[in-house]
mmCIF file of all heavy atoms in Angstrom:
data_model
loop_
_atom_site.group_PDB
_atom_site.id
_atom_site.type_symbol
_atom_site.label_atom_id
_atom_site.label_comp_id
_atom_site.label_asym_id
_atom_site.label_seq_id
_atom_site.Cartn_x
_atom_site.Cartn_y
_atom_site.Cartn_z
ATOM 1 N N LEU A 12 -2.156 -17.610 -9.975
ATOM 2 C CA LEU A 12 -1.910 -17.946 -8.579
ATOM 3 C C LEU A 12 -2.908 -17.210 -7.681
ATOM 4 O O LEU A 12 -3.440 -16.173 -8.059
ATOM 5 C CB LEU A 12 -0.487 -17.552 -8.198
ATOM 6 C CG LEU A 12 0.624 -18.340 -8.893
ATOM 7 C CD1 LEU A 12 1.973 -17.711 -8.589
ATOM 8 C CD2 LEU A 12 0.601 -19.795 -8.463
ATOM 9 N N PRO A 13 -3.149 -17.730 -6.466
ATOM 10 C CA PRO A 13 -4.057 -17.046 -5.540
ATOM 11 C C PRO A 13 -3.509 -15.666 -5.155
ATOM 12 O O PRO A 13 -2.313 -15.407 -5.239
ATOM 13 C CB PRO A 13 -4.084 -17.960 -4.317
ATOM 14 C CG PRO A 13 -3.539 -19.265 -4.773
ATOM 15 C CD PRO A 13 -2.662 -18.985 -5.940
ATOM 16 N N ILE A 14 -4.408 -14.818 -4.723
ATOM 17 C CA ILE A 14 -4.043 -13.467 -4.285
ATOM 18 C C ILE A 14 -3.892 -13.473 -2.772
ATOM 19 O O ILE A 14 -4.728 -14.036 -2.060
ATOM 20 C CB ILE A 14 -5.126 -12.450 -4.682
ATOM 21 C CG1 ILE A 14 -5.321 -12.434 -6.187
ATOM 22 C CG2 ILE A 14 -4.767 -11.061 -4.172
ATOM 23 C CD1 ILE A 14 -6.513 -11.587 -6.614
ATOM 24 N N LEU A 15 -2.854 -12.827 -2.273
ATOM 25 C CA LEU A 15 -2.658 -12.683 -0.837
ATOM 26 C C LEU A 15 -3.260 -11.353 -0.411
ATOM 27 O O LEU A 15 -2.844 -10.287 -0.883
ATOM 28 C CB LEU A 15 -1.164 -12.726 -0.503
ATOM 29 C CG LEU A 15 -0.787 -12.539 0.959
ATOM 30 C CD1 LEU A 15 -1.370 -13.657 1.810
ATOM 31 C CD2 LEU A 15 0.717 -12.488 1.103
ATOM 32 N N ILE A 16 -4.269 -11.402 0.460
ATOM 33 C CA ILE A 16 -4.956 -10.199 0.919
ATOM 34 C C ILE A 16 -4.957 -10.191 2.441
ATOM 35 O O ILE A 16 -5.209 -11.211 3.080
ATOM 36 C CB ILE A 16 -6.416 -10.167 0.407
ATOM 37 C CG1 ILE A 16 -6.432 -10.116 -1.113
ATOM 38 C CG2 ILE A 16 -7.171 -8.985 0.994
ATOM 39 C CD1 ILE A 16 -7.816 -10.211 -1.711
ATOM 40 N N PHE A 17 -4.708 -9.037 3.006
ATOM 41 C CA PHE A 17 -4.819 -8.847 4.444
ATOM 42 C C PHE A 17 -6.069 -8.013 4.693
ATOM 43 O O PHE A 17 -6.007 -6.788 4.699
ATOM 44 C CB PHE A 17 -3.571 -8.149 5.004
ATOM 45 C CG PHE A 17 -2.341 -8.999 4.916
ATOM 46 C CD1 PHE A 17 -1.515 -8.934 3.806
ATOM 47 C CD2 PHE A 17 -2.014 -9.868 5.937
ATOM 48 C CE1 PHE A 17 -0.382 -9.717 3.716
ATOM 49 C CE2 PHE A 17 -0.884 -10.665 5.861
ATOM 50 C CZ PHE A 17 -0.061 -10.586 4.742
ATOM 51 N N PRO A 18 -7.232 -8.655 4.901
ATOM 52 C CA PRO A 18 -8.489 -7.911 4.980
ATOM 53 C C PRO A 18 -8.647 -7.056 6.227
ATOM 54 O O PRO A 18 -9.535 -6.221 6.299
ATOM 55 C CB PRO A 18 -9.547 -9.018 4.942
ATOM 56 C CG PRO A 18 -8.857 -10.210 5.476
ATOM 57 C CD PRO A 18 -7.431 -10.085 5.045
ATOM 58 N N GLU A 19 -7.775 -7.257 7.203
ATOM 59 C CA GLU A 19 -7.857 -6.452 8.409
ATOM 60 C C GLU A 19 -7.472 -5.008 8.099
ATOM 61 O O GLU A 19 -7.975 -4.087 8.729
ATOM 62 C CB GLU A 19 -6.924 -7.044 9.470
ATOM 63 C CG GLU A 19 -7.208 -6.590 10.855
ATOM 64 C CD GLU A 19 -6.369 -7.333 11.880
ATOM 65 O OE1 GLU A 19 -5.213 -7.691 11.593
ATOM 66 O OE2 GLU A 19 -6.880 -7.559 12.969
ATOM 67 N N GLY A 20 -6.588 -4.812 7.159
ATOM 68 C CA GLY A 20 -6.203 -3.471 6.744
ATOM 69 C C GLY A 20 -5.173 -2.811 7.633
ATOM 70 O O GLY A 20 -4.638 -1.774 7.285
ATOM 71 N N THR A 21 -4.868 -3.385 8.774
ATOM 72 C CA THR A 21 -3.889 -2.795 9.688
ATOM 73 C C THR A 21 -3.367 -3.880 10.622
ATOM 74 O O THR A 21 -3.945 -4.954 10.709
ATOM 75 C CB THR A 21 -4.517 -1.637 10.496
ATOM 76 O OG1 THR A 21 -3.494 -0.988 11.245
ATOM 77 C CG2 THR A 21 -5.588 -2.138 11.444
ATOM 78 N N CYS A 22 -2.305 -3.584 11.284
ATOM 79 C CA CYS A 22 -1.720 -4.522 12.235
ATOM 80 C C CYS A 22 -1.975 -4.004 13.643
ATOM 81 O O CYS A 22 -1.852 -2.810 13.892
ATOM 82 C CB CYS A 22 -0.215 -4.638 11.984
ATOM 83 S SG CYS A 22 0.586 -5.802 13.079
ATOM 84 N N VAL A 23 -2.346 -4.899 14.534
ATOM 85 C CA VAL A 23 -2.527 -4.504 15.930
ATOM 86 C C VAL A 23 -1.501 -5.229 16.779
ATOM 87 O O VAL A 23 -0.650 -5.946 16.261
ATOM 88 C CB VAL A 23 -3.968 -4.782 16.413
ATOM 89 C CG1 VAL A 23 -4.951 -3.881 15.709
ATOM 90 C CG2 VAL A 23 -4.352 -6.218 16.235
ATOM 91 N N ASN A 24 -1.595 -5.060 18.073
ATOM 92 C CA ASN A 24 -0.536 -5.512 18.970
ATOM 93 C C ASN A 24 -0.537 -7.002 19.319
ATOM 94 O O ASN A 24 -0.145 -7.367 20.416
ATOM 95 C CB ASN A 24 -0.563 -4.673 20.238
ATOM 96 C CG ASN A 24 -1.848 -4.865 21.006
ATOM 97 O OD1 ASN A 24 -2.733 -5.589 20.587
ATOM 98 N ND2 ASN A 24 -1.952 -4.207 22.137
ATOM 99 N N ASN A 25 -0.993 -7.850 18.405
ATOM 100 C CA ASN A 25 -0.835 -9.291 18.583
ATOM 101 C C ASN A 25 -1.787 -9.884 19.616
ATOM 102 O O ASN A 25 -1.578 -10.983 20.092
ATOM 103 C CB ASN A 25 0.608 -9.590 18.986
ATOM 104 C CG ASN A 25 1.108 -10.895 18.435
ATOM 105 O OD1 ASN A 25 0.651 -11.370 17.418
ATOM 106 N ND2 ASN A 25 2.072 -11.481 19.108
ATOM 107 N N THR A 26 -2.827 -9.137 20.001
ATOM 108 C CA THR A 26 -3.755 -9.629 21.009
ATOM 109 C C THR A 26 -5.153 -9.863 20.458
ATOM 110 O O THR A 26 -5.956 -10.530 21.095
ATOM 111 C CB THR A 26 -3.879 -8.640 22.179
ATOM 112 O OG1 THR A 26 -4.379 -7.396 21.675
ATOM 113 C CG2 THR A 26 -2.541 -8.422 22.862
ATOM 114 N N SER A 27 -5.451 -9.292 19.293
ATOM 115 C CA SER A 27 -6.814 -9.362 18.780
ATOM 116 C C SER A 27 -6.832 -9.275 17.262
ATOM 117 O O SER A 27 -5.834 -8.942 16.636
ATOM 118 C CB SER A 27 -7.647 -8.232 19.382
ATOM 119 O OG SER A 27 -6.984 -7.004 19.203
ATOM 120 N N VAL A 28 -8.003 -9.590 16.707
ATOM 121 C CA VAL A 28 -8.219 -9.486 15.269
ATOM 122 C C VAL A 28 -9.290 -8.420 15.062
ATOM 123 O O VAL A 28 -10.384 -8.524 15.616
ATOM 124 C CB VAL A 28 -8.674 -10.835 14.662
ATOM 125 C CG1 VAL A 28 -8.880 -10.706 13.164
ATOM 126 C CG2 VAL A 28 -7.667 -11.919 14.962
ATOM 127 N N MET A 29 -8.958 -7.407 14.292
ATOM 128 C CA MET A 29 -9.890 -6.309 14.063
ATOM 129 C C MET A 29 -10.847 -6.628 12.919
ATOM 130 O O MET A 29 -10.689 -7.632 12.225
ATOM 131 C CB MET A 29 -9.118 -5.034 13.741
ATOM 132 C CG MET A 29 -8.215 -4.609 14.872
ATOM 133 S SD MET A 29 -7.330 -3.126 14.495
ATOM 134 C CE MET A 29 -8.336 -1.962 15.371
ATOM 135 N N MET A 30 -11.822 -5.746 12.711
ATOM 136 C CA MET A 30 -12.831 -5.924 11.673
ATOM 137 C C MET A 30 -12.179 -6.076 10.300
ATOM 138 O O MET A 30 -11.277 -5.337 9.947
ATOM 139 C CB MET A 30 -13.758 -4.702 11.660
ATOM 140 C CG MET A 30 -14.863 -4.780 10.632
ATOM 141 S SD MET A 30 -16.012 -3.399 10.742
ATOM 142 C CE MET A 30 -15.019 -2.062 10.113
ATOM 143 N N PHE A 31 -12.653 -7.062 9.552
ATOM 144 C CA PHE A 31 -12.167 -7.277 8.193
ATOM 145 C C PHE A 31 -12.912 -6.361 7.230
ATOM 146 O O PHE A 31 -14.109 -6.134 7.388
ATOM 147 C CB PHE A 31 -12.391 -8.721 7.755
ATOM 148 C CG PHE A 31 -11.405 -9.714 8.320
ATOM 149 C CD1 PHE A 31 -10.401 -9.340 9.188
ATOM 150 C CD2 PHE A 31 -11.493 -11.046 7.971
ATOM 151 C CE1 PHE A 31 -9.502 -10.258 9.691
ATOM 152 C CE2 PHE A 31 -10.602 -11.980 8.462
ATOM 153 C CZ PHE A 31 -9.608 -11.582 9.329
ATOM 154 N N LYS A 32 -12.217 -5.882 6.236
ATOM 155 C CA LYS A 32 -12.859 -5.148 5.149
ATOM 156 C C LYS A 32 -13.634 -6.167 4.324
ATOM 157 O O LYS A 32 -13.121 -7.232 4.010
ATOM 158 C CB LYS A 32 -11.820 -4.429 4.273
ATOM 159 C CG LYS A 32 -10.849 -3.547 5.051
ATOM 160 C CD LYS A 32 -11.561 -2.380 5.668
ATOM 161 C CE LYS A 32 -10.548 -1.422 6.277
ATOM 162 N NZ LYS A 32 -10.844 -1.008 7.598
ATOM 163 N N LYS A 33 -14.850 -5.850 3.943
ATOM 164 C CA LYS A 33 -15.716 -6.844 3.299
ATOM 165 C C LYS A 33 -15.432 -7.067 1.819
ATOM 166 O O LYS A 33 -15.846 -8.074 1.254
ATOM 167 C CB LYS A 33 -17.179 -6.472 3.480
ATOM 168 C CG LYS A 33 -17.600 -5.235 2.727
ATOM 169 C CD LYS A 33 -19.071 -4.981 2.881
ATOM 170 C CE LYS A 33 -19.447 -3.782 2.030
ATOM 171 N NZ LYS A 33 -20.842 -3.765 1.718
#
Side-chain angles (χ1 to χ4, degrees):
L12 294 171
I14 301 172
L15 178 62
I16 297 175
F17 293 91
E19 198 173 34
T21 187
C22 181
V23 293
N24 64 358
N25 214 27
T26 61
S27 52
V28 181
M29 299 180 100
M30 181 175 72
F31 283 1
K32 308 293 187 228
K33 68 176 184 158

